[in-house]
Amino acid sequence: MINLTKDAIVAINSENPASLPAGQNPVVQVLQVKKATASQPNAPDRYRMVLSDGVFYMQAMLGTQLNHLPEQEVLVKNSVIRMTNYAVNTVQNRLLVIALQVDILESSHEKIGSPQNYDPAKAQVQPQGQSHQQPQTTDNKPTIAPPQSKGPSSQAPVYPIEGLSPYQNKWTIKARVTQRSDIKFWSNQRGEGKLFSVNLMDETGEIRATGFNESVDEFYSMLEEGKVFFITKARVQIAKKQFSNLQNEYEITFDKSTQIEPCFDTSDVPDVKYNFTELQNLENLEANSITDVLGVVTSVDDASQIISKSTQKPYTKRELQIVDRSQQSVRLTLWGKLAETFDQTNEPVIAFKGVKVGDFGGRSLSMVGASTLFVNPDIAEAHTLRGWYDQQGKNEQFSTFNSSSAAVKPESSGAVNSNEIKTLDQVKQSQLGLNDTGKPDYWSGKATVTYIKKDNLTYPSCPNDMKKVTQDMNDKWRCEKCESSFDAPEYRYIVTCNATDHTGQLWLSGFNDFGLELFKMPANDLQAMMNNGDEAAYEATVKNALGSTYNFNCRAKQDNFNDNVRVRHQINRVNNINYKSDIGRLCDSITKLEVA
DNA sequence: CCCCCCCC
């Protein structure tokens, strides 16, 4: 037999929630649970409830994070629940409970008692906000300590971020600034102004807050990253999810009445929380999703300028290579001021929060608006990674994602860790590609193109599937694979070349991407020179490509040719030499020679 | 009231 908490409704409505018997989390019966009419088209569903202690009942709402309970019919009419975390606020002069965390004690139970509507006027309850939060582990802890300072903290009780919504307007949050943007100036048809935003976090959740114009002057310098503040009297609005990757349906806008003051008792306000994805598992995430990663930065490119195709604006970018214990390496792009000022040369461990997963080159990462990075964070995972990398990771091979097959075949990726650059002689001596399994080996090497086979450098291909097409009797180009005909083929490169380094030479074959890099023009253009009889231009283009030096990323695979086993080296990708990091690599190998 | 997050 379940007992409802005696006088729970009176206590909840009183100014002193701790007056609950023995400070317990109230056990109440849900007399009704119904989906509320949406206030806005894209607003999340909200569930209204009527809660009873057997004597009185009152209106309540369910925190949206608990929507799954009624949706999965775990919480239904007449369920008995224990509210382990809830908030009370005034909406249109009526008191409303928002259940933030509940235990379902009984899913369905007969109605207990004959409760009456609780009338706050009769009970002389002041219609003012209340907050009540108790750790789930103990039933006897007092409620949140009353704020000591004047100003915002005395305006309204401290309220969990998770419980904020447009339905209540009297609250104070106690939150840590986990990220602060630059001040941004905008100008459009509707006017101009400046703004900034911060990410705020407490034990229960995160929310983004934005300040415009005067609020920038008033609050920007104060809201330093990492510090904790009491914030009150700001607007809570539906978040535009397409622009936010924080886990909150709402966001805050500071306005003229907003009050913010620093808080020095910060022990209960968490730092940034991470939910790291191992780099190898990035292939399981969808492109454009947002995640956190932790990696050792093994190389840092120079900053460079790109022009956005859509806005024609220039942006500074800088690419890093990061690795982790999943033996995976991935490229990560920094933008703007961060790209310009990033200066980390000692292979730091960096925690990235809220980076965007892209599918360029298989998988890539990019910092976006709400992303943050933390160099050498003092968290357990970072220390573990540091130890592993220094002791063994730095000598290991890392897989890279690659555009054709990384997402489905991790074994097909290869090493491009600059530590793993092999000489061509090493490639031959270690007989890469020759093994019993028939599986390819992957290698990276720095070499110079010294010879290119001039005949059959291009082939006419099908625009649909890149397969070779042949000219039929009607001068149409026919693809046997997709059974279509075309007026003209799309020429693609198929390059056979000789690559040389200081230890020897090797035949390599590469395809269209390599040809584009090598000749700086589409295969159609090169073929046109041939077709137009401009053999000199053709020759000059090929000759001009000789002497190109790259870091080659190759696949070595054996095949049988006239009963002879031989190894073919196919170019997966070439990278231009980053001279700064290449010199570092050469210096390292000189040091190793000296030691030996 | 911004809301672009880029490029290979």
Side-chain angles (χ1 to χ4, degrees), chain A residues 194-206:
Chain A
K194 58 183 175 181
L195 71 117
F196 78 106
S197 62
V198 287
N199 290 351
L200 301 168
M201 173 186 261
D202 72 5
E203 276 179 303
T204 68
E206 289 182 291

Side-chain angles (χ1 to χ4, degrees), chain A residues 45 52 58 121 134-135 144 214 241 263 287 313 317 335 347 354 396 431 474-475 563 583:
Chain A
D45 289 339
S52 158
M58 69 177 293
Q134 294 188 19
I144 287 179
E214 303 91 339
K241 293 297 261 185
C263 172
K313 283 188 192 163
K317 72 158 196 173
W335 297 97
E347 302 198 313
E396 292 190 6
Q431 303 202 315
N474 306 319
D475 277 345
D563 276 336
I583 286 166

Side-chain angles (χ1 to χ4, degrees), chain A residues 11-259:
Chain A
I12 287 168
N13 282 275
S14 79
E15 278 195 283
N16 180 12
S19 68
L20 276 173
Q24 282 167 7
N25 292 320
V27 175
V28 292
Q29 184 168 34
V30 179
L31 298 184
Q32 199 179 81
V33 53
K34 267 180 153 176
K35 195 188 286 191
T37 318
S39 56
Q40 293 187 34
N42 293 324
D45 289 339
R46 301 277 329 200
Y47 286 86
R48 288 187 169 279
M49 298 186 291
V50 174
L51 301 181
S52 158
D53 63 6
V55 178
F56 290 110
Y57 64 80
M58 69 177 293
Q59 298 286 322
M61 300 207 76
L62 196 61
T64 52
Q65 71 278 11
L66 300 179
N67 278 0
H68 60 280
L69 296 175
E71 279 160 8
Q72 294 166 9
E73 298 186 26
V74 176
L75 174 64
V76 296
K77 183 179 165 74
N78 288 341
S79 289
V80 176
I81 63 172
R82 178 188 290 123
M83 294 200 289
T84 53
N85 188 5
Y86 63 94
V88 186
N89 255 64
T90 313
V91 176
Q92 290 161 351
N93 286 327
R94 290 174 67 190
L95 278 168
L96 182 70
V97 175
I98 297 134
L100 299 169
Q101 223 169 45
V102 305
D103 298 332
I104 310 284
L105 302 184
E106 252 186 71
S107 195
S108 191
H109 192 285
E110 64 192 37
K111 185 175 172 183
I112 299 169
S114 307
Q116 305 296 306
N117 186 23
Y118 183 77
D119 186 340
K122 272 186 201 164
Q124 293 181 312
V125 168
Q126 293 182 5
Q128 202 194 1
Q130 299 292 345
S131 162
H132 177 86
Q133 218 183 352
Q134 294 188 19
Q136 278 183 293
T137 44
T138 56
D139 274 341
N140 295 319
K141 278 270 186 75
T143 52
I144 287 179
Q148 298 93 355
S149 54
K150 295 176 187 170
S153 46
S154 61
Q155 300 280 335
V158 171
Y159 206 83
I161 283 178
E162 186 181 61
L164 290 178
S165 86
Y167 297 91
Q168 63 257 14
N169 48 29
K170 288 203 175 169
W171 49 263
T172 296
I173 54 168
K174 179 182 172 182
R176 192 183 298 277
V177 174
T178 55
Q179 197 213 351
R180 179 179 64 178
S181 74
D182 291 335
I183 296 171
K184 184 189 167 179
F185 297 83
W186 88 87
S187 174
N188 58 29
Q189 304 93 311
R190 282 185 296 235
E192 55 186 51
K194 58 183 175 181
L195 71 117
F196 78 106
S197 62
V198 287
N199 290 351
L200 301 168
M201 173 186 261
D202 72 5
E203 276 179 303
T204 68
E206 289 182 291
I207 195 163
R208 185 165 80 147
T210 305
F212 292 93
N213 303 319
E214 303 91 339
S215 296
V216 176
D217 302 330
E218 201 174 348
F219 300 128
Y220 183 80
S221 60
M222 179 186 194
L223 290 173
E224 287 177 52
E225 277 181 16
K227 295 196 171 168
V228 176
F229 300 88
F230 289 114
I231 300 172
T232 192
K233 290 189 176 168
R235 286 206 304 278
V236 179
Q237 300 153 295
I238 305 283
K240 292 172 190 162
K241 293 297 261 185
Q242 69 271 34
F243 303 127
S244 162
N245 45 38
L246 290 191
Q247 290 293 318
N248 204 315
E249 299 298 328
Y250 307 111
E251 59 190 16
I252 289 173
T253 304
F254 301 141
D255 59 28
K256 286 195 177 76
S257 61
T258 300
Q259 293 173 31

Side-chain angles (χ1 to χ4, degrees), chain A residues 363-383:
Chain A
R363 279 291 178 274
S364 60
L365 297 170
S366 180
M367 297 280 286
V368 291
S371 308
T372 56
L373 65 77
F374 203 110
V375 179
N376 295 322
D378 186 15
I379 54 177
E381 297 100 317
H383 297 305

